[in-house]
């Protein structure tokens, strides 16, 4: 075996092992989260009376329960549990918070699919395609109300902690809505003057807060940590959440086409302003820049046109810039985990899991 071949095998093995501790933690905590989500399924307010229970279930409660049950890795609720355990609490203390965050995820995805006119979600037709747009919007709105109900109904949490958790859930939602407004507004107004800094601000609001920073912070608050003690988890979660989104962007452009199916390179079809795109537009010469904008505006699904768009993005340095920044942000999050452990804010075990989490975010292929 040559030295080059040996190095390549070592690199591949390292990539396969990246995030292994966090993946094991996800699997360990998943049954707890799934059971809590199932028990949080809502029912008609006046069940058993003269209310048309069957219709209410058919048109409102069952569609949301089915959609939420089809969730993926449950990273967000599990991070709420990790936030609680990181500061010396128990996973159970953060269960209602984790369920609330996953229900917000359901609402966001249901509404996003309508805004983006998407076809598939989690391997099935989007909810608005099976139930109709009106009922899908209503199901998403139900999920938003359940965000607060599940926390308010958690009698195991002292009242002051429930209030703090609710305050942070509201802030998480506001961050997400701000990011979504920018994303949708730039697309509506055909804005191609968006900068890399603009994009990073947008995904910090739309993704980083509710994917990583808020779940960790809220979980710690549910376990009784003070705001000051838990604040470092936000400082860790923001760069980790940004890296998570950048990896999503890369996978859509240069990931596994078979694994993604119809979603592969859908960001180009939808004309999304990802970091790779806006970086390329900032650095391409006039002619290739104009060609890339034309491809992004064409809503094309042609494999050849999509491949050409990726070539132009690579020519403008967008792919490498995205990878480099994801790695830099991951290093920042991991350094913060070590700092929090050294200062006694979080346990050494939590610090290891959080470092593993950051590696998992940028090494995953789905």
């Amino acid at each position: 075996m040559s030295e080059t071949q040996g190095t390549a095998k070592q690199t591949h093995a390292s990539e396969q092992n990246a995030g292994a501790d966090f993946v094991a933690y996800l699997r360990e905590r998943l049954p707890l989260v799934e059971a809590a989500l199932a028990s949080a399924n809502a029912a008609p307010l006046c069940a058993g009376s003269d209310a048309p229970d069957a219709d209410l279930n058919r048109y409102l409660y069952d569609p949301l329960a089915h959609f939420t049950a089809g969730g993926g890795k449950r990273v967000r609720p599990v991070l709420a549990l990790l936030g609680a355990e990181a500061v010396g609490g128990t996973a159970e203390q953060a269960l209602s918070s984790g369920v609330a965050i996953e229900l917000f995820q359901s609402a966001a995805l249901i509404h996003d699919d309508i805004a983006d006119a998407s076809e598939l979600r989690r391997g099935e037709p989007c909810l608005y395609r099976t139930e109709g747009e009106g009922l899908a919007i209503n199901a998403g709105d139900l999920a938003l109300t359940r965000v607060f109900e599940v926390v308010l109904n958690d009698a195991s949490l002292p009242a002051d902690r429930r209030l703090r958790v609710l305050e942070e859930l509201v802030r998480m939602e506001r961050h997400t809505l701000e990011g979504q407004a920018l994303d949708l507004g730039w697309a509506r107004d055909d804005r191609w003057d968006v900068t890399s800094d603009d994009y990073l601000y947008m995904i910090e609001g739309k993704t980083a807060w509710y994917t990583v920073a808020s779940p960790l912070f809220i979980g710690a608050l549910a376990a009784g940590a003070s705001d000051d003690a838990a604040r470092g988890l936000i400082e860790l979660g923001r760069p980790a959440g940004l890296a998570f989104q950048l990896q999503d962007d890369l996978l859509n452009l240069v990931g596994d086409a078979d694994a993604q199916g119809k979603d592969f390179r859908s960001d180009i079809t939808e004309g999304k302003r990802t970091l790779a795109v806006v970086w390329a537009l900032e650095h391409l010469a006039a002619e290739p820049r104009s060609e890339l904008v034309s491809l992004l505006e064409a809503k094309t699904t042609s494999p050849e046109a999509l491949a050409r768009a990726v070539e132009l993005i690579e020519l403008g340095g967008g792919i490498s810039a995205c990878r480099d920044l994801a790695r830099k942000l991951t290093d920042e999050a991991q350094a913060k985990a070590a700092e929090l452990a050294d200062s006694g804010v979080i346990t050494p075990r939590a610090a290891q899991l959080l470092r593993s989490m950051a590696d998992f975010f940028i090494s995953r292929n789905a």
Side-chain angles (χ1 to χ4, degrees), residues 246-268:
L246 294 179
Q247 180 68 3
D248 260 7
D249 295 347
L250 285 168
L251 289 173
N252 190 270
L253 294 176
V254 293
D256 187 333
D258 292 333
Q260 295 188 56
K262 289 184 177 181
D263 285 337
F264 187 55
R265 294 181 172 169
S266 60
D267 286 354
I268 297 172

Side-chain angles (χ1 to χ4, degrees), residues 22 26 73-76 79 105 109 199-200 203 206-213 236-252 322 325-327 329-330 333 357-366:
F22 182 67
L26 274 174
K73 299 179 182 71
R74 308 297 193 197
V75 168
R76 293 165 184 84
L79 285 180
Q105 161 82 338
L109 294 180
Y199 176 76
L200 291 172
I203 64 168
K206 182 174 178 177
T207 301
W209 277 95
Y210 98 95
T211 298
V212 190
L236 182 158
R238 287 163 65 191
L242 290 171
F244 179 95
Q245 182 60 55
L246 294 179
Q247 180 68 3
D248 260 7
D249 295 347
L250 285 168
L251 289 173
N252 190 270
C322 203
L325 182 56
R327 182 69 257 177
L329 290 163
T330 298
M357 171 202 74
D359 276 333
F360 167 72
F361 284 169
I362 64 166
S363 64
R364 64 198 166 89
N365 55 19

